[in-house]
C-alpha cells in the first residue's frame, strides 16, 4: 500500500537554523493571548460588580409616630375660629430624604408634615374639597368655622407614598395637581405619579385630582423679560420675536385642552380645578394693560376647558384666607415649605385668617412700604418715618379684611407744612380699596376723602382745628355702615354718608421728606355699639356694682 505523504508525521528538519526558536515564539504568543483574556475578564467583572442595577424607588415611607409637644398643643388649642373664611395650604414633595439626596426648598420632611396634620386635627380643623371652596366663594355653601383645603402641587409620587397614609390617619382629604405631561401610563414607578397611582388615589375618596398644566410648568424668556413663567407670559420665539396674543392664546389653549383630555381618560370624568405653575397668573412685570388682558383671557381659557376654579400663589396673590365673593380663578394659598414646623404653620395661619377688631393696635407688628414703623410700648407710641421723599405707609400685621363698625382715635406730633399724616380706615385686604376713608391732618385743619374706583371724593370741606389742647388734638374717625363721622377732641365735627359700606382696618401714612418722622399716640380702636346696647351695658355694669356692694 502506497503511503500518502499528507498522512505521514512531520519530520524534524535537521540542521535548519531557527526552527526551535520559532516554536518557542508560537508558544509565547498563545500564552500572551490567554493572559490578555484572563485580565479582560477580571476587569469586566470588577466594572459590572461596581455598577449593579439600581432598584426602582417606590417613595413609600412608614407613618411616623407623633406626640404633640405642650407648646404645640397650646398653640393648636388657641387657634381662633374663622367663620366666613377658608384657608388653602400648598404642599409639594413630602419626604424624609436629605438635601444630599436631592431634597429642595419645597421638600417638607415627613415628620414635619405628620406633626402639622396632628396640630390641625388638635385645633379642630376640618378639610374641605375644591368643590366646597368653589361653592363657598360663590356664596352657595357655608363651611365649618375652621376649614382648610390641603393642596399638593406637581404630582410627586410622595403624595400617595407618604402623605396619603398620614392624611388617612386623621381623616383628612386633599387635592393633588399633576403636570399631566409627566404622568407615565400604567404602573411604572417614577418620581411623579403614574396613571395607576392617580386612579388609586381618586378611588380612595381622600384625593381629588386637578391639573397643573400638561407641559407648561417652566420658565423662559418673554420679550424684555429674561426669565418668565410660561403659562401667563408671551414667550420669545426661536426667531427672536415675541408671541402675539393670538399665538399665546393658541399655545395655552392647546396645553389646557391636552391636560383635560388626559385627566378625563384616566379618571373617567373631567377635572374642575387647576393650579397655576409657580402660583402665577397675571403676567407679572408686564405692562399693566397686558397684565389685565392676560388675567382675563387666561380665566376665559380655563373656563373654556372645563376648569371652573384655579388656585394662585404668593407671587401674584397675597397670602390671605379666602372669603365669600372671591374670584374663583384667583383663589389664594399659603405655601408650606422646608423648615416650617407645626408652630410655624399655626402662626402663619393665624396671620391670614380674618381677625376680630384689635382694640390696642400697638400690640401688633407694623410694617409698610417706603417707611420705618417703630412701636414703643413704653411710651405707647407709633413713630413713622419715610425712607425717601414722598409717601410712607404703615399697616398693622393682621388680617383686618372683615373689620366693620368701629372708631379709630389718635394724636400726632411733628406736623409741619411739609410733613403731615393721612390716617385711613376701612382699608381692606389690599393696600387701597374702594370705600376707604382717608383723613389728612394738617397744622390747622383736616379734610376727609372717600376712595372710589375712579378716584377720591372729598366728604365736606376743610375742618378747622383751632388752638390745640395740651398734648395736641385728639382726632377720631367713626365708620358705621355707610355713615362716617369725624370727631375732634371727642366732639362730632362732620358726618357724611358714603357710597359703600366697605370693610377693613387702618393704615397710617406720612407724606414728608426723607427721614422725617411723625409720632402717633393715643392710637386706639373701639368696636361700635348702638346706643341701646351701650346703655344696656352701662345699666348692667351699675347693677353688678350694686350687687357686689
Amino acid at each position: 500500500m502506497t503511503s500518502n505523504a499528507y498522512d505521514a508525521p512531520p519530520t524534524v528538519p535537521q540542521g535548519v537554523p531557527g526552527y526551535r526558536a520559532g516554536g518557542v515564539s508560537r508558544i509565547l504568543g498563545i500564552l500572551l493571548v490567554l493572559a490578555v483574556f484572563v485580565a479582560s475578564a477580571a476587569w469586566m467583572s470588577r466594572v459590572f460588580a461596581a455598577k449593579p442595577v439600581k432598584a426602582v424607588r417606590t417613595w413609600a415611607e412608614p407613618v411616623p409616630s407623633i406626640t404633640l409637644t405642650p407648646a404645640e398643643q397650646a398653640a393648636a388649642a388657641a387657634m381662633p375660629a374663622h367663620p366666613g373664611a377658608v384657608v388653602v395650604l400648598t404642599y409639594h414633595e413630602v419626604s424624609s430624604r436629605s438635601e444630599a439626596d436631592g431634597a429642595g426648598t419645597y421638600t417638607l420632611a415627613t415628620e414635619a408634615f405628620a406633626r402639622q396634620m396632628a396640630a390641625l386635627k388638635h385645633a379642630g380643623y376640618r378639610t374641605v374639597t375644591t368643590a366646597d371652596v368653589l361653592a363657598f366663594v360663590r356664596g352657595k355653601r357655608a363651611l365649618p368655622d375652621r376649614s382648610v383645603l390641603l393642596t399638593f402641587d406637581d404630582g410627586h409620587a410622595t403624595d400617595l407614598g407618604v402623605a396619603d397614609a398620614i392624611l388617612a390617619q386623621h381623616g383628612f382629604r386633599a387635592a393633588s395637581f399633576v403636570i399631566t405631561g409627566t404622568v407615565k401610563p400604567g404602573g411604572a414607578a417614577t418620581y411623579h405619579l403614574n396613571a395607576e397611582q392617580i386612579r388609586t388615589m381618586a378611588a380612595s375618596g381622600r384625593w381629588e385630582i386637578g391639573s397643573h398644566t400638561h407641559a407648561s410648568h417652566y420658565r423662559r424668556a418673554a420679550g424684555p423679560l429674561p426669565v418668565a413663567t410660561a403659562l401667563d407670559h408671551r414667550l420669545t420665539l426661536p426667531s427672536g420675536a415675541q408671541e402675539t396674543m393670538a399665538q399665546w392664546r393658541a399655545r395655552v389653549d392647546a396645553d389646557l385642552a391636552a391636560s383635560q383630555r388626559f385627566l378625563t381618560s384616566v379618571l373617567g370624568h373631567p377635572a374642575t380645578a387647576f393650579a397655576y405653575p409657580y402660583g402665577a397668573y397675571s403676567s407679572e412685570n408686564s405692562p399693566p394693560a397686558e397684565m389685565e388682558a392676560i388675567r382675563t383671557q387666561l380665566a376665559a381659557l380655563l373656563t373654556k376647558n372645563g376648569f371652573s376654579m384655579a388656585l394662585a400663589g404668593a407671587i401674584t396673590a397675597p397670602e390671605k384666607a379666602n372669603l365669600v365673593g372671591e374670584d374663583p380663578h384667583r383663589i389664594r394659598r399659603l405655601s408650606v415649605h422646608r423648615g416650617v414646623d407645626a408652630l410655624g404653620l399655626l402662626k402663619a395661619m393665624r396671620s391670614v385668617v380674618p381677625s376680630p377688631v384689635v382694640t390696642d393696635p400697638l400690640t401688633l407688628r407694623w410694617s409698610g412700604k417706603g417707611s420705618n414703623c417703630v412701636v414703643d410700648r413704653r411710651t405707647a407710641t407709633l413713630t413713622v418715618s419715610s425712607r425717601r421723599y414722598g409717601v410712607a405707609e404703615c399697616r398693622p400685621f393682621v388680617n383686618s379684611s372683615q373689620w366693620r363698625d368701629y372708631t379709630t382715635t389718635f394724636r400726632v406730633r411733628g406736623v409741619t407744612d411739609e410733613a403731615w399724616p393721612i390716617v385711613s380706615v376701612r382699608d381692606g385686604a389690599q393696600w387701597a380699596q374702594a370705600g376707604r376713608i382717608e383723613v389728612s391732618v394738617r397744622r390747622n385743619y383736616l379734610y376727609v376723602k372717600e376712595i372710589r374706583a375712579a378716584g377720591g371724593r372729598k366728604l365736606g370741606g376743610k375742618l378747622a382745628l383751632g388752638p390745640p389742647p395740651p398734648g395736641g388734638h385728639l382726632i377720631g374717625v367713626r365708620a358705621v355702615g355707610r355713615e362716617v363721622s369725624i370727631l375732634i377732641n371727642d366732639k362730632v365735627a362732620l358726618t357724611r354718608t358714603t357710597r359703600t359700606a366697605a370693610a377693613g382696618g387702618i393704615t397710617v401714612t406720612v407724606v414728608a421728606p426723607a427721614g422725617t418722622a411723625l409720632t402717633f399716640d393715643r392710637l386706639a380702636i373701639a368696636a361700635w355699639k348702638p346706643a341701646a346696647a351701650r346703655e344696656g351695658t352701662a345699666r348692667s355694669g351699675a347693677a353688678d356694682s350694686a350687687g357686689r356692694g
Side-chain angles (χ1 to χ4, degrees):
M1 180 176 179
T2 306
S3 172
N4 190 331
Y6 293 101
D7 294 333
T11 57
V12 178
Q14 299 296 320
V16 179
Y19 179 84
R20 185 178 299 275
V24 172
S25 297
R26 283 193 295 271
I27 294 171
L28 289 175
I30 293 171
L31 292 175
L32 179 62
V33 170
L34 290 173
V36 170
F37 176 78
V38 171
S40 298
W43 175 81
M44 291 175 68
S45 67
R46 286 196 303 271
V47 169
F48 287 107
K51 296 182 179 179
V53 177
K54 189 175 182 179
V56 177
R57 190 166 188 169
T58 62
W59 300 99
E61 294 183 20
V63 176
S65 177
I66 297 296
T67 300
L68 293 177
T69 66
E72 291 168 339
Q73 292 181 36
M79 286 294 289
H82 44 88
V86 59
V87 178
V88 183
L89 301 179
T90 310
Y91 292 92
H92 289 77
E93 177 188 340
V94 177
S95 171
S96 294
R97 65 177 178 151
S98 63
E99 292 184 23
D101 194 25
T105 302
Y106 292 99
T107 301
L108 183 67
T110 304
E111 182 178 350
F113 177 72
R115 195 167 287 278
Q116 289 176 8
M117 294 301 103
L120 291 179
K121 186 72 172 181
H122 192 79
Y125 271 91
R126 294 175 59 184
T127 55
V128 295
T129 67
T130 59
D132 291 330
V133 173
L134 179 60
F136 167 76
V137 298
R138 287 176 171 174
K140 297 180 178 180
R141 183 177 303 171
L143 297 180
D145 289 353
R146 292 180 177 85
S147 296
V148 62
L149 171 61
L150 305 176
T151 66
F152 292 75
D153 282 5
D154 299 342
H156 294 287
T158 58
D159 290 0
L160 179 62
V162 182
D164 180 63
I166 297 172
L167 295 174
Q169 187 179 51
H170 299 289
F172 285 171
R173 302 181 66 179
S176 176
F177 293 90
V178 300
I179 307 167
T180 51
T182 67
V183 178
K184 301 298 183 184
T190 67
Y191 178 65
H192 291 96
L193 294 166
N194 59 48
E196 183 178 309
Q197 290 171 324
I198 289 174
R199 291 191 190 95
T200 298
M201 292 167 67
S204 73
R206 278 187 297 278
W207 290 90
E208 300 173 80
I209 307 298
S211 172
H212 205 34
T213 75
H214 185 69
S216 292
H217 197 300
Y218 62 92
R219 292 185 173 100
R220 188 174 293 174
L225 303 175
V227 179
T229 47
L231 186 73
D232 62 329
H233 285 86
R234 295 187 297 118
L235 300 180
T236 300
L237 300 170
S239 64
Q242 190 174 10
E243 286 178 317
T244 64
M245 284 298 289
Q247 290 172 319
W248 169 81
R249 280 195 303 271
R251 172 173 62 82
V252 172
D253 189 25
D255 183 277
L256 297 177
S259 187
Q260 185 65 277
R261 282 195 304 272
F262 183 89
L263 290 173
T264 301
S265 68
V266 172
L267 301 173
H269 59 80
T272 59
F274 180 89
Y276 298 106
Y278 311 102
Y281 63 81
S282 64
S283 193
E284 200 75 6
N285 298 318
S286 298
E290 179 161 333
M291 290 176 66
E292 186 55 38
I294 291 287
R295 285 192 194 108
T296 302
Q297 295 185 40
L298 183 52
L301 290 171
L302 286 164
T303 301
K304 174 190 172 186
N305 286 283
F307 299 109
S308 52
M309 173 184 176
L311 297 95
I315 293 177
T316 49
E319 292 184 326
K320 300 285 186 182
N322 295 277
L323 311 177
V324 174
E326 303 281 2
D327 185 339
H329 286 110
R330 301 179 191 179
I331 298 299
R332 295 188 288 259
R333 296 192 287 177
L334 177 63
S335 180
V336 186
H337 49 78
R338 192 175 190 84
V340 176
D341 58 14
L343 290 175
L345 175 65
L346 295 175
K347 182 179 179 180
M349 291 177 69
R350 286 193 69 140
S351 73
V352 303
V353 299
S355 164
V357 172
V358 177
T359 57
D360 185 358
L362 296 184
T363 60
L364 303 171
R365 179 168 64 87
W366 288 67
S367 63
K369 300 188 294 185
S371 59
N372 296 310
C373 313
V374 180
V375 173
D376 189 332
R377 294 289 296 160
R378 294 178 298 105
T379 59
T381 58
L382 168 67
T383 301
V384 180
S385 60
S386 56
R387 297 173 188 164
R388 58 183 182 276
Y389 185 84
V391 176
E393 293 180 315
C394 289
R395 304 180 90 224
F397 193 73
V398 64
N399 186 338
S400 59
S401 59
Q402 292 189 326
W403 288 13
R404 295 180 185 275
D405 300 345
Y406 61 89
T407 301
T408 298
T409 55
F410 63 92
R411 293 191 309 194
V412 59
R413 300 195 300 268
V415 178
T416 67
D417 291 337
E418 294 184 341
W420 65 90
I422 300 173
V423 175
S424 305
V425 301
R426 303 201 313 200
D427 197 13
Q430 304 170 355
W431 283 93
Q433 70 169 0
R436 182 174 75 165
I437 304 300
E438 296 182 348
V439 179
S440 180
V441 182
R442 304 302 176 91
R443 291 179 64 186
N444 301 312
Y445 66 91
L446 61 80
Y447 64 84
V448 189
K449 183 168 65 175
E450 176 189 9
I451 300 299
R452 293 183 175 177
R457 178 178 77 97
K458 287 187 178 180
L459 301 177
K462 293 180 180 179
L463 297 177
L465 291 174
H473 293 291
L474 181 66
I475 309 299
V477 188
R478 179 187 299 151
V480 180
R482 293 175 57 203
E483 186 177 277
V484 173
S485 299
I486 304 301
L487 298 85
I488 301 176
N489 300 319
D490 292 325
K491 294 182 179 180
V492 176
L494 172 75
T495 298
R496 291 288 187 272
T497 300
T498 58
R499 177 173 291 184
T500 61
I506 66 173
T507 299
V508 174
T509 305
V510 169
V511 182
T516 304
L518 299 184
T519 299
F520 298 79
D521 66 358
R522 299 283 299 275
L523 183 60
I525 302 173
W528 174 253
K529 294 181 180 180
R534 294 199 303 275
E535 292 172 3
T537 301
R539 287 194 299 269
S540 174
D544 288 344
S545 298
R548 287 193 297 270

